[in-house]
Amino acid sequence: MVFQTPIRRAPEYPTYKSPYGPKYHYQPNVAGFTLKQVTGLGFKAGAFGGVALFAVIFYASGIPRVQRDILMKIPFLGDYYVKEIPPSDNPF
């Protein structure tokens, strides 16, 4: 009768980790984006969006409908766009 030799393994020793080596740890992410990247991207997108909104309102500020519906409702800026015609200039 032949008996199989049991597999002999070396005892488990902890692997050496140098105190001067890199400190690897798990970094949580969603689709490859970390929280730091997403917040940076959010701030940049918000800044570009704010500048774009200012540019659109600046270019459209000459349109009477934009003046009435948007610009007159801004607290300190609204009085600038109120056009009052004196009665002497009214042709009717």
Side-chain angles (χ1 to χ4, degrees):
M1 202 184 269
V2 179
F3 295 104
Q4 287 184 341
T5 307
I7 299 173
R8 296 183 52 125
R9 293 185 185 168
E12 288 286 329
Y13 293 113
T15 57
Y16 176 73
K17 189 168 185 177
S18 172
Y20 304 107
K23 309 284 190 273
Y24 293 116
H25 61 279
Y26 175 73
Q27 181 137 15
N29 63 67
V30 175
F33 293 106
T34 63
L35 183 63
K36 184 176 180 180
Q37 290 173 329
V38 170
T39 54
L41 182 65
F43 282 125
K44 289 176 188 174
F48 275 105
V51 170
L53 177 66
F54 175 77
V56 166
I57 289 180
F58 178 74
Y59 289 130
S61 65
I63 301 171
R65 179 74 184 239
V66 173
Q67 290 177 355
R68 280 192 313 270
D69 293 345
I70 298 171
L71 297 174
M72 283 186 183
K73 296 179 182 173
I74 298 174
F76 296 103
L77 190 64
D79 294 336
Y80 178 76
Y81 292 101
V82 174
K83 303 275 194 260
E84 293 184 10
I85 300 172
S88 61
D89 290 340
N90 192 353
F92 301 106

